[in-house]
């Protein structure tokens, strides 16, 4: 019953039971399945794995990129995953590697699916491997019944993309200096394959681009509501109250209210001497931006972050969201969580890892 062009999932035992010979056999089976020689190959059983779960396959409608989507769970260390990201980044696009503590969710679009699996084997132990050929996928997905409602969110960092996907949203991964075009957002709306879509740009500079994508999607018969989120933490707040089974209008109102009630801040490093709303900064200074404006200038990240938190919580707040950048140590989260507990009673803190390409630190206060 395997759909055309899709390889059955492979359990962990298929990759680790027979050592090197087993790996060779599995890779041979993968290539045979991709070539169409054994379309009815049975799945290899494996034991049930903990979260994160593999994401749903992308819809191939109007896909003009790489030929295959490769998705698998991976047991590997942080250093091995860093090398895996670089290797997969050179093989294709739409790369998302989310997770942590030794368990990762890997998603990539490539022309050489075997090489993407081999990269996972080199990094650790992949399992629940799923490979979908987009061209073959069209034949059974293009006319599939649309879901009622979906959320499309733009984020920087694989960790944030993974959070959005775990919440059921379609993530559009943006890199610094490479904002997505309207066509990228429209493609994501199509991949969501829903009658109703809530679009979260999570960046003030993307509002016009998102509006153009929404208008194009409406012309194709999709009901789209654009919530003008200006930061990923506002998008996370909106996702937290998302109710896909309720009224579309009520859902949009609730998500908009949650985003609007979330103040956002970001820490960045000054690249040159310049004038800011908080005074003159020098190259290398740590800047604390609150709601888009520089509010604090510091010499190091922890102290600047504490000053930003104090300013934001001075006007009240119940929940602090911290999104750590790729170079932020775990000790930073521990220090900031302790600071909030000691200086601001009855305020809870949640911490996430943004992943590669995310800002050094994002802060949300609800």
């Amino acid at each position: 019953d395997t759909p055309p062009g899709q390889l059955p999932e492979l359990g962990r035992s298929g990759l680790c039971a027979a050592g090197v010979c087993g790996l060779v056999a599995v890779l041979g089976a993968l290539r045979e399945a991709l070539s169409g020689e054994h379309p009815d190959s049975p799945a290899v059983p494996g034991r049930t794995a903990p979260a994160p779960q593999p994401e749903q396959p992308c819809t191939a409608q109007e896909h003009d990129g790489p030929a295959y989507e490769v998705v698998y769970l991976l047991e590997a260390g942080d250093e091995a995953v860093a090398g895996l990201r670089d290797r997969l980044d050179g093989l294709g696009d739409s790369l998302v590697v989310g997770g942590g503590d030794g368990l990762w969710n890997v998603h990539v679009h490539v022309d050489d699916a075997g090489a993407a699996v081999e990269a996972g084997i080199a990094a650790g132990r992949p399992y629940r491997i799923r490979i979908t050929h987009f061209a073959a996928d069209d034949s059974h997905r293009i006319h599939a019944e649309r879901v009622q409602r979906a959320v499309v969110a733009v984020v920087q960092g694989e960790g944030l993309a993974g959070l959005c996907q775990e919440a059921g949203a379609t993530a559009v991964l943006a890199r610094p200096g490479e904002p997505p075009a309207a066509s990228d957002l429209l493609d994501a709306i199509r991949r969501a394959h829903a009658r109703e879509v809530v679009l979260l740009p999570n960046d003030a500079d993307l509002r016009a681009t998102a509006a153009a994508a929404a208008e194009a999607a409406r012309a194709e018969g999709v009901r789209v509501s654009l919530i003008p989120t200006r930061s990923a933490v506002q998008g996370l707040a909106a996702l937290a109250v998302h109710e896909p089974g309720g009224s579309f209008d009520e859902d949009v109102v609730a998500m908009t209210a949650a985003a609007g009630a979330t103040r956002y801040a970001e820490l960045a490093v000054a690249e040159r001497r310049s004038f800011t709303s908080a005074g003159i900064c020098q190259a290398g200074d740590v800047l604390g931006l609150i709601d888009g404006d520089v509010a604090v200038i510091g010499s190091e990240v922890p102290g600047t972050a504490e000053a930003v938190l104090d300013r934001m919580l001075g006007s009240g707040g119940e929940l602090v969201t911290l999104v750590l950048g790729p170079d932020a140590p775990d000790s930073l989260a521990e220090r900031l969580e302790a600071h909030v507990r000691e200086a601001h009673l009855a305020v809870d803190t949640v911490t996430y890892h943004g992943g590669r390409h995310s800002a050094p630190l994002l802060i949300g206060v609800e």
Side-chain angles (χ1 to χ4, degrees), residues 258-286:
T262 302
R263 299 189 67 193
Y264 63 96
E266 175 181 345
L267 263 62
V269 178
E271 296 180 353
R272 63 182 67 86
R273 183 178 187 273
S274 60
F275 293 91
T276 74
S277 53
I280 300 175
C281 70
Q282 307 295 330
D285 283 346
V286 179

Side-chain angles (χ1 to χ4, degrees), residues 13 17 48-49 66 109 145 174 266 270 291:
S13 58
T48 302
H109 295 177
E145 181 68 18
E266 175 181 345
D291 296 335

Side-chain angles (χ1 to χ4, degrees), residues 75-337:
E75 288 184 347
D78 292 353
E79 292 184 2
V81 169
L84 173 67
R85 285 192 178 105
D86 291 337
R87 187 169 176 182
L88 293 180
D89 202 25
L91 289 175
D93 58 27
S94 299
L95 174 63
V96 175
V97 181
D101 295 328
L103 184 59
W104 308 86
N105 188 338
V106 179
H107 168 284
V108 67
H109 295 177
V110 294
D111 285 320
D112 189 345
V117 176
E118 290 167 358
I121 293 172
R125 183 165 58 177
Y127 59 101
R128 291 195 183 180
I129 301 169
R130 185 177 64 242
I131 300 175
T132 304
H133 186 275
F134 282 120
D137 194 45
D138 278 341
S139 64
H140 71 280
R141 286 192 183 278
I142 194 168
H143 298 300
E145 181 68 18
R146 290 179 179 269
V147 298
Q148 182 60 33
R149 187 174 312 147
V151 177
V152 173
V154 181
V155 292
Q156 287 189 0
E158 294 95 335
L160 285 170
L163 284 174
C164 291
Q165 289 165 350
E166 288 174 12
T170 297
V172 179
L173 195 59
R175 300 185 180 187
E178 300 178 17
S183 59
D184 297 322
L185 299 185
L186 179 59
D187 179 62
I189 292 172
R190 290 167 175 163
R191 292 202 314 270
H193 204 56
R195 299 183 183 91
E196 303 167 340
V197 171
V198 180
L199 183 55
L200 305 174
N202 295 335
D203 187 335
D205 294 335
L206 284 179
R207 184 168 182 176
T209 300
E215 191 62 31
R218 293 185 188 110
E220 296 180 2
V222 182
R223 187 180 183 187
V224 181
S225 180
L226 168 61
I227 298 178
T229 49
R230 295 172 288 175
S231 171
V233 291
Q234 288 188 323
L236 292 176
L239 275 172
V241 300
H242 171 49
E243 291 289 348
S247 158
F248 182 69
D249 291 334
E250 292 178 357
D251 194 24
V252 170
V253 169
M255 294 177 72
T256 302
T262 302
R263 299 189 67 193
Y264 63 96
E266 175 181 345
L267 263 62
V269 178
E271 296 180 353
R272 63 182 67 86
R273 183 178 187 273
S274 60
F275 293 91
T276 74
S277 53
I280 300 175
C281 70
Q282 307 295 330
D285 283 346
V286 179
L287 308 179
L289 292 84
I290 299 178
D291 296 335
D293 293 324
V294 177
V296 178
I297 300 175
S299 59
E300 39 87 32
V301 170
T304 306
E306 289 177 348
V308 168
L309 281 168
D310 289 340
R311 288 207 179 192
M312 297 179 75
L313 291 170
S315 56
E318 298 176 354
L319 176 65
V320 170
T321 300
L322 304 174
V323 181
L324 303 183
D327 300 322
D330 289 336
S331 59
L332 174 63
E334 295 171 0
R335 174 172 169 173
L336 297 181
E337 289 171 0

Side-chain angles (χ1 to χ4, degrees), residues 333-350:
E334 295 171 0
R335 174 172 169 173
L336 297 181
E337 289 171 0
H339 178 77
V340 171
R341 279 196 309 271
E342 295 168 3
H344 305 278
L345 300 178
V347 177
D348 295 324
T349 305
V350 294

